[in-house]
Amino acid sequence: MPRSDNIETEGVVEECLPGTKFKVKLDNGAMVLCTIAGKMRVNYIKVLLGDRVKVSISPYDITKGIITFRSKN
């Protein structure tokens, strides 16, 4: 599936889990289990509790997503 078909939304990291997984609360109130995108891993970008992130969600399973961007603030 091309990345252009994914749903892009923003949220806040609510909980850090083992294995670089995070629970993210989206702006619409939904909770999503997310992992870090490969480019963020390669560039050693750290994601911490309370960070504002951009999440890419597949339309087939809206309970899981990929963190693609961490906001500066």
Side-chain angles (χ1 to χ4, degrees), residues 60-73:
Y60 296 113
D61 187 8
I62 58 173
T63 62
K64 294 182 180 147
I66 299 172
I67 296 174
T68 57
F69 184 78
R70 180 182 158 252
S71 296
K72 305 258 192 255
N73 297 335

PDB file of all heavy atoms in Angstrom, residues 60-73:
ATOM      1  N   TYR A  60      -6.882   0.373   7.108  1.00  0.00           N
ATOM      2  CA  TYR A  60      -7.353  -0.990   7.374  1.00  0.00           C
ATOM      3  C   TYR A  60      -7.381  -1.311   8.858  1.00  0.00           C
ATOM      4  O   TYR A  60      -8.241  -2.055   9.310  1.00  0.00           O
ATOM      5  CB  TYR A  60      -6.477  -1.999   6.639  1.00  0.00           C
ATOM      6  CG  TYR A  60      -6.562  -1.855   5.149  1.00  0.00           C
ATOM      7  CD1 TYR A  60      -5.473  -1.427   4.421  1.00  0.00           C
ATOM      8  CD2 TYR A  60      -7.745  -2.118   4.474  1.00  0.00           C
ATOM      9  CE1 TYR A  60      -5.544  -1.275   3.043  1.00  0.00           C
ATOM     10  CE2 TYR A  60      -7.835  -1.961   3.101  1.00  0.00           C
ATOM     11  CZ  TYR A  60      -6.726  -1.535   2.395  1.00  0.00           C
ATOM     12  OH  TYR A  60      -6.813  -1.373   1.043  1.00  0.00           O
ATOM     13  N   ASP A  61      -6.409  -0.788   9.631  1.00  0.00           N
ATOM     14  CA  ASP A  61      -6.367  -1.026  11.077  1.00  0.00           C
ATOM     15  C   ASP A  61      -6.077   0.305  11.754  1.00  0.00           C
ATOM     16  O   ASP A  61      -4.925   0.726  11.835  1.00  0.00           O
ATOM     17  CB  ASP A  61      -5.298  -2.057  11.425  1.00  0.00           C
ATOM     18  CG  ASP A  61      -5.326  -2.454  12.891  1.00  0.00           C
ATOM     19  OD1 ASP A  61      -6.267  -2.042  13.599  1.00  0.00           O
ATOM     20  OD2 ASP A  61      -4.415  -3.174  13.319  1.00  0.00           O
ATOM     21  N   ILE A  62      -7.115   0.967  12.240  1.00  0.00           N
ATOM     22  CA  ILE A  62      -6.942   2.306  12.788  1.00  0.00           C
ATOM     23  C   ILE A  62      -6.492   2.302  14.243  1.00  0.00           C
ATOM     24  O   ILE A  62      -6.397   3.358  14.854  1.00  0.00           O
ATOM     25  CB  ILE A  62      -8.240   3.124  12.631  1.00  0.00           C
ATOM     26  CG1 ILE A  62      -9.406   2.432  13.319  1.00  0.00           C
ATOM     27  CG2 ILE A  62      -8.540   3.370  11.170  1.00  0.00           C
ATOM     28  CD1 ILE A  62     -10.672   3.260  13.348  1.00  0.00           C
ATOM     29  N   THR A  63      -6.173   1.133  14.801  1.00  0.00           N
ATOM     30  CA  THR A  63      -5.683   1.073  16.177  1.00  0.00           C
ATOM     31  C   THR A  63      -4.161   1.080  16.244  1.00  0.00           C
ATOM     32  O   THR A  63      -3.602   1.171  17.332  1.00  0.00           O
ATOM     33  CB  THR A  63      -6.199  -0.192  16.886  1.00  0.00           C
ATOM     34  OG1 THR A  63      -5.701  -1.342  16.195  1.00  0.00           O
ATOM     35  CG2 THR A  63      -7.711  -0.222  16.909  1.00  0.00           C
ATOM     36  N   LYS A  64      -3.478   0.988  15.109  1.00  0.00           N
ATOM     37  CA  LYS A  64      -2.021   0.964  15.070  1.00  0.00           C
ATOM     38  C   LYS A  64      -1.517   2.020  14.098  1.00  0.00           C
ATOM     39  O   LYS A  64      -2.155   2.314  13.103  1.00  0.00           O
ATOM     40  CB  LYS A  64      -1.512  -0.406  14.662  1.00  0.00           C
ATOM     41  CG  LYS A  64      -1.831  -1.462  15.674  1.00  0.00           C
ATOM     42  CD  LYS A  64      -1.301  -2.797  15.292  1.00  0.00           C
ATOM     43  CE  LYS A  64      -1.669  -3.774  16.382  1.00  0.00           C
ATOM     44  NZ  LYS A  64      -1.916  -5.087  15.895  1.00  0.00           N
ATOM     45  N   GLY A  65      -0.342   2.571  14.406  1.00  0.00           N
ATOM     46  CA  GLY A  65       0.195   3.606  13.548  1.00  0.00           C
ATOM     47  C   GLY A  65       1.704   3.679  13.623  1.00  0.00           C
ATOM     48  O   GLY A  65       2.350   2.942  14.369  1.00  0.00           O
ATOM     49  N   ILE A  66       2.271   4.605  12.852  1.00  0.00           N
ATOM     50  CA  ILE A  66       3.711   4.825  12.794  1.00  0.00           C
ATOM     51  C   ILE A  66       3.965   6.297  13.072  1.00  0.00           C
ATOM     52  O   ILE A  66       3.356   7.173  12.444  1.00  0.00           O
ATOM     53  CB  ILE A  66       4.275   4.456  11.409  1.00  0.00           C
ATOM     54  CG1 ILE A  66       4.028   2.989  11.120  1.00  0.00           C
ATOM     55  CG2 ILE A  66       5.767   4.767  11.329  1.00  0.00           C
ATOM     56  CD1 ILE A  66       4.375   2.586   9.704  1.00  0.00           C
ATOM     57  N   ILE A  67       4.867   6.585  14.010  1.00  0.00           N
ATOM     58  CA  ILE A  67       5.243   7.964  14.302  1.00  0.00           C
ATOM     59  C   ILE A  67       6.227   8.397  13.226  1.00  0.00           C
ATOM     60  O   ILE A  67       7.297   7.816  13.082  1.00  0.00           O
ATOM     61  CB  ILE A  67       5.865   8.083  15.702  1.00  0.00           C
ATOM     62  CG1 ILE A  67       4.835   7.709  16.767  1.00  0.00           C
ATOM     63  CG2 ILE A  67       6.389   9.497  15.933  1.00  0.00           C
ATOM     64  CD1 ILE A  67       5.388   7.650  18.167  1.00  0.00           C
ATOM     65  N   THR A  68       5.864   9.428  12.472  1.00  0.00           N
ATOM     66  CA  THR A  68       6.698   9.874  11.357  1.00  0.00           C
ATOM     67  C   THR A  68       7.396  11.194  11.620  1.00  0.00           C
ATOM     68  O   THR A  68       8.337  11.541  10.896  1.00  0.00           O
ATOM     69  CB  THR A  68       5.856  10.020  10.081  1.00  0.00           C
ATOM     70  OG1 THR A  68       4.784  10.923  10.332  1.00  0.00           O
ATOM     71  CG2 THR A  68       5.318   8.673   9.635  1.00  0.00           C
ATOM     72  N   PHE A  69       6.972  11.957  12.623  1.00  0.00           N
ATOM     73  CA  PHE A  69       7.558  13.262  12.880  1.00  0.00           C
ATOM     74  C   PHE A  69       7.360  13.651  14.332  1.00  0.00           C
ATOM     75  O   PHE A  69       6.294  13.386  14.899  1.00  0.00           O
ATOM     76  CB  PHE A  69       6.905  14.315  11.968  1.00  0.00           C
ATOM     77  CG  PHE A  69       7.494  15.688  12.077  1.00  0.00           C
ATOM     78  CD1 PHE A  69       8.676  15.993  11.455  1.00  0.00           C
ATOM     79  CD2 PHE A  69       6.847  16.668  12.804  1.00  0.00           C
ATOM     80  CE1 PHE A  69       9.221  17.259  11.556  1.00  0.00           C
ATOM     81  CE2 PHE A  69       7.381  17.934  12.906  1.00  0.00           C
ATOM     82  CZ  PHE A  69       8.572  18.232  12.289  1.00  0.00           C
ATOM     83  N   ARG A  70       8.392  14.228  14.948  1.00  0.00           N
ATOM     84  CA  ARG A  70       8.303  14.751  16.306  1.00  0.00           C
ATOM     85  C   ARG A  70       8.415  16.259  16.251  1.00  0.00           C
ATOM     86  O   ARG A  70       9.369  16.791  15.693  1.00  0.00           O
ATOM     87  CB  ARG A  70       9.420  14.176  17.172  1.00  0.00           C
ATOM     88  CG  ARG A  70       9.383  14.677  18.575  1.00  0.00           C
ATOM     89  CD  ARG A  70      10.552  14.107  19.372  1.00  0.00           C
ATOM     90  NE  ARG A  70      10.795  14.964  20.494  1.00  0.00           N
ATOM     91  CZ  ARG A  70      11.841  15.767  20.609  1.00  0.00           C
ATOM     92  NH1 ARG A  70      12.761  15.807  19.684  1.00  0.00           N
ATOM     93  NH2 ARG A  70      11.980  16.528  21.661  1.00  0.00           N
ATOM     94  N   SER A  71       7.443  16.969  16.802  1.00  0.00           N
ATOM     95  CA  SER A  71       7.442  18.429  16.757  1.00  0.00           C
ATOM     96  C   SER A  71       8.549  19.001  17.620  1.00  0.00           C
ATOM     97  O   SER A  71       8.978  18.397  18.595  1.00  0.00           O
ATOM     98  CB  SER A  71       6.097  18.979  17.244  1.00  0.00           C
ATOM     99  OG  SER A  71       5.078  18.577  16.376  1.00  0.00           O
ATOM    100  N   LYS A  72       8.988  20.181  17.269  1.00  0.00           N
ATOM    101  CA  LYS A  72      10.085  20.826  17.986  1.00  0.00           C
ATOM    102  C   LYS A  72       9.654  21.297  19.364  1.00  0.00           C
ATOM    103  O   LYS A  72      10.435  21.351  20.294  1.00  0.00           O
ATOM    104  CB  LYS A  72      10.587  22.027  17.186  1.00  0.00           C
ATOM    105  CG  LYS A  72      10.985  21.664  15.780  1.00  0.00           C
ATOM    106  CD  LYS A  72      12.472  21.555  15.657  1.00  0.00           C
ATOM    107  CE  LYS A  72      12.873  21.482  14.208  1.00  0.00           C
ATOM    108  NZ  LYS A  72      13.268  20.180  13.780  1.00  0.00           N
ATOM    109  N   ASN A  73       8.391  21.704  19.520  1.00  0.00           N
ATOM    110  CA  ASN A  73       7.931  22.232  20.819  1.00  0.00           C
ATOM    111  C   ASN A  73       7.433  21.154  21.721  1.00  0.00           C
ATOM    112  O   ASN A  73       6.803  20.266  21.485  1.00  0.00           O
ATOM    113  CB  ASN A  73       6.836  23.269  20.594  1.00  0.00           C
ATOM    114  CG  ASN A  73       7.381  24.458  19.818  1.00  0.00           C
ATOM    115  OD1 ASN A  73       8.562  24.715  19.851  1.00  0.00           O
ATOM    116  ND2 ASN A  73       6.502  25.157  19.143  1.00  0.00           N
TER     117      ASN A  73
END
